[in-house]
Amino acid sequence: MDTQLTTPYYLLQTLGQWTLVADLDSQHWAQRHQRLLPLISVQAHIVTTTANTSQQQQHRLNLHYQIHLNECKTPKTLPWFIWEKISKHPQPKDYLWQSTCLECFVAGNKNNTPHHHNEYLELNVASSGHYALYHFDNYRTPDSMPPNHLSCLLADKYKPELQINADPRPILLQGKTPSHYPEEPHTLNRHISINIHMLSHLWDSLSSIQPALILQDQHTKQHLYFAPQHATPPDFHLNSLWTPIQHKL
């Protein structure tokens, strides 16, 4: 038997690498409390796998968040913000943005039709690994709380599949590592991998992306907002600040 016939191959597309900066209120908060804000970076890739026998493609969006702790001597030292260990059983949960939350917004198009032009998804992941994936027809629309879950629009066999870990290396796909993130001292890591093949039932392509992060102070409970670019007041949903991408699904 020729094993090459069943071996998938990988295409890696780098969507972007960002340094997330705090909004002005967060910077003022840091000055008042004599805190050093962490250095935050995010890398985003789409990994496409194709089995040679079927030529069927599968797409995964891989997000790697890295938080450099300026005030800590070791990664095991508790930071000033809320940060939890990865749960053994991450579950879908709402209202994760009320505490420390890793976020990513992704927009897509279908045949460039006006109806789909402003449609987008919001991914929330807690440091514990609990997660939520929401769907919006337009800017913050509908405005229900919690927002509409993406899974409500998809058949059971197309439900979102997420993998989350704290290792600085990405999750293995089919036993191979398509990319590598070096381990650095004094850092907190979260790696998120989500199957986005299901989005081909909504869109023909992805059009923009916005990684973001919320940190909640352990004592004051105040939220600090980080993104590549900021509106005033902070508004991660404002798609004029997102990074344009082009990825066919």
Side-chain angles (χ1 to χ4, degrees), residues 157-173:
K157 63 179 179 179
Y158 300 124
K159 291 299 174 69
E161 173 206 336
L162 278 81
Q163 295 173 310
I164 302 159
N165 70 6
D167 195 295
R169 295 165 298 178
I171 295 169
L172 297 180
L173 299 175

Side-chain angles (χ1 to χ4, degrees), residues 200-227:
S200 62
H201 299 275
L202 299 177
W203 303 327
D204 294 325
S205 63
L206 303 183
S207 58
S208 59
I209 188 170
Q210 169 79 333
L213 180 68
I214 299 173
L215 296 179
Q216 186 180 33
D217 182 88
Q218 292 199 48
H219 304 290
T220 68
K221 304 305 180 184
Q222 183 169 348
H223 294 86
L224 283 72
Y225 299 89
F226 299 81

Side-chain angles (χ1 to χ4, degrees), residues 161-203:
E161 173 206 336
L162 278 81
Q163 295 173 310
I164 302 159
N165 70 6
D167 195 295
R169 295 165 298 178
I171 295 169
L172 297 180
L173 299 175
Q174 303 287 340
K176 296 184 179 180
T177 306
S179 60
H180 175 70
Y181 304 100
E183 184 172 7
E184 296 183 11
H186 323 312
T187 58
L188 299 169
N189 295 278
R190 287 294 179 267
H191 185 79
I192 303 163
S193 181
I194 177 172
N195 177 14
I196 59 171
H197 178 67
M198 69 215 170
L199 297 182
S200 62
H201 299 275
L202 299 177
W203 303 327

Side-chain angles (χ1 to χ4, degrees), residues 62-80:
N62 285 3
L63 299 164
H64 181 73
Y65 291 75
Q66 190 171 73
I67 303 176
H68 183 85
L69 304 174
N70 289 316
E71 297 176 302
C72 297
K73 294 183 178 180
T74 70
K76 295 181 180 179
T77 303
L78 289 177
W80 52 262

Side-chain angles (χ1 to χ4, degrees), residues 12-20 41-46 61-65 104 179 181 208-211 228 242-247:
L12 180 66
Q13 178 184 352
T14 299
L15 299 184
Q17 302 182 25
W18 299 269
T19 298
L20 304 190
S41 63
V42 180
Q43 299 181 44
H45 305 280
I46 288 182
L61 172 61
N62 285 3
L63 299 164
H64 181 73
Y65 291 75
C104 188
S179 60
Y181 304 100
S208 59
I209 188 170
Q210 169 79 333
W242 298 4
T243 301
I245 59 176
Q246 187 58 240
H247 179 79

